[in-house]
Amino acid sequence: MERIQRMTRQKKIILDILRSVKTHPTAEWIYQEARQQIPGLSLGTVYRNLNLLRDNGEIMELNYGSSQSHFDGTAANHYHFQCRECGGVYDLDLPLIKNIETKASGINGHQIDGHRLEFYGICEACLDRRRFEEND
Amino acid sequence: MERIQRMTRQKKIILDILRSVKTHPTAEWIYQEARQQIPGLSLGTVYRNLNLLRDNGEIMELNYGSSQSHFDGTAANHYHFQCRECGGVYDLDLPLIKNIETKASGINGHQIDGHRLEFYGICEACLDRRRFEEND
DNA sequence: ATCAAATTAGTAATGATTATTCATAAGGAT
DNA sequence: ATCCTTATGAATAATCATTACTAATTTGAT
């Protein structure tokens, strides 16, 4: 027996914000943005709605490599890059690796139904800032 | 100037435990194991030593967002599988994908120096348990 | 418009991890 | 071996992201 979900103003605004940005912000960042439209919004509401949207398969939660989770308005699998310096998460337009799950299944007894690939390094913006700072 | 580190009894036991298991346990699990050898050991000591060992490049920390980190006695990059049901983390003996970082670098301005590939699904043990439970 | 159920804001609680404290133990120069 | 410096230990408190709780409000089907 599944619960009926309502599209509240809060949930809609949260989803709109997430769909409108190219980056993958944290709950806290989304909270600060949404408060410009709903000043009395509470952070708990942001977390609750993000979890609902994730459970519905409407958004993706990216939760490794740093303390806070990042959220991605696109639900289909794709790959990401995270900056070791600023923690920012960016999309990486690399095609999905085909058959890798089948290949991985073949060598053990686990049932594999998903994979995730993340890259790490220094992002373009942090590289630029470094170059600027060393020219003093 | 780098600090000199001492190989204390606690640090050695923690490292030995981590090297002796095939799984990738949490700090809490290691704590419980190590207390059988050092009953008065504190959890803080386990965390501090795990962080030191990670910073030294002797072990790897696998963190999955807000839940507990898992630790891996092997420092070199390799791929993992995490069970959606029990949360257990296992090695996956799949060869490293060559040149993927170079390929990923080519399509953007980030400086990429690492990658991480994770698989998800239901582990062998949980599959077995399910089969057992449906035969009632 | 009515009304039960779902959702909210606000706050308290949780849980993993880190920092602090201070007594003890280890390393190195003499 | 002695002394001095510094790391380590255990215990506890603090932190931070996230979740749970509760009374009041809002939603959407009727």
Side-chain angles (χ1 to χ4, degrees):
Chain A
M1 164 156 352
E2 68 211 32
R3 304 170 28 135
I4 294 152
Q5 272 190 37
R6 293 171 182 169
M7 181 51 72
T8 63
R9 192 158 95 89
Q10 287 83 346
K11 191 191 281 182
K12 184 164 184 354
I13 286 173
I14 288 165
L15 186 56
D16 284 349
I17 288 173
L18 199 48
R19 290 256 163 87
S20 73
V21 295
K22 284 206 180 63
T23 59
H24 303 320
T26 62
E28 179 66 35
W29 189 94
I30 296 166
Y31 170 58
Q32 297 300 343
E33 282 295 302
R35 283 221 293 180
Q36 296 179 13
Q37 298 178 60
I38 310 176
L41 182 71
S42 85
L43 183 56
T45 297
V46 175
Y47 273 105
R48 184 161 21 76
N49 279 305
L50 286 171
N51 287 347
L52 284 170
L53 291 165
R54 179 204 54 210
D55 293 346
N56 296 346
E58 298 185 70
I59 66 171
M60 206 195 304
E61 181 178 2
L62 306 171
N63 66 358
Y64 62 46
S66 72
S67 50
Q68 295 177 76
S69 277
H70 291 252
F71 293 87
D72 186 332
T74 306
N77 191 20
H78 57 282
Y79 303 144
H80 294 99
F81 167 84
Q82 182 170 37
C83 179
R84 295 187 196 279
E85 199 155 297
C86 67
V89 177
Y90 305 86
D91 277 335
L92 215 54
D93 291 324
L94 203 66
L96 282 195
I97 303 173
K98 285 183 199 296
N99 302 326
I100 187 132
E101 289 167 23
T102 318
K103 197 184 285 183
S105 287
I107 56 173
N108 58 63
H110 308 315
Q111 182 183 90
I112 295 177
D113 58 35
H115 76 281
R116 193 165 147 183
L117 176 57
E118 305 256 333
F119 293 87
Y120 297 93
I122 311 295
C123 76
E124 202 163 7
C126 285
L127 286 173
D128 285 347
R129 191 169 34 65
R130 283 182 177 185
R131 282 188 208 103
F132 176 76
E133 282 170 3
E134 71 193 16
N135 295 339
D136 49 22
Chain B
M1 64 186 69
E2 67 211 34
R3 352 192 306 172
I4 293 152
Q5 271 190 39
R6 297 169 187 167
M7 182 51 72
T8 63
R9 189 159 96 91
Q10 286 80 350
K11 191 191 284 182
K12 185 166 184 350
I13 287 173
I14 288 166
L15 186 56
D16 285 349
I17 288 173
L18 201 48
R19 291 257 163 86
S20 73
V21 294
K22 286 205 177 63
T23 60
H24 302 319
T26 62
E28 180 67 36
W29 188 94
I30 295 166
Y31 170 58
Q32 297 300 344
E33 282 294 302
R35 282 221 295 180
Q36 296 179 13
Q37 297 178 60
I38 311 175
L41 181 71
S42 85
L43 184 56
T45 298
V46 174
Y47 273 107
R48 183 155 28 75
N49 279 305
L50 286 171
N51 288 348
L52 285 169
L53 290 165
R54 178 203 55 208
D55 294 344
N56 296 344
E58 298 184 71
I59 66 172
M60 205 195 304
E61 180 179 1
L62 306 171
N63 60 11
Y64 296 87
S66 56
S67 56
Q68 296 177 73
S69 278
H70 291 253
F71 292 88
D72 187 331
T74 306
N77 191 19
H78 57 283
Y79 304 144
H80 295 100
F81 167 85
Q82 183 174 38
C83 179
R84 294 187 197 278
E85 198 155 297
C86 68
V89 177
Y90 305 86
D91 277 336
L92 216 53
D93 291 325
L94 203 66
L96 280 196
I97 303 173
K98 285 183 198 295
N99 302 326
I100 186 131
E101 289 167 22
T102 317
K103 197 183 285 183
S105 286
I107 56 172
N108 58 63
H110 308 315
Q111 183 183 89
I112 294 177
D113 59 35
H115 74 281
R116 180 171 159 184
L117 176 57
E118 305 262 333
F119 294 86
Y120 297 93
I122 311 296
C123 76
E124 203 163 8
C126 285
L127 286 173
D128 285 346
R129 191 168 36 65
R130 283 183 177 185
R131 283 190 207 102
F132 177 76
E133 282 170 3
E134 70 193 17
N135 297 338
D136 48 22

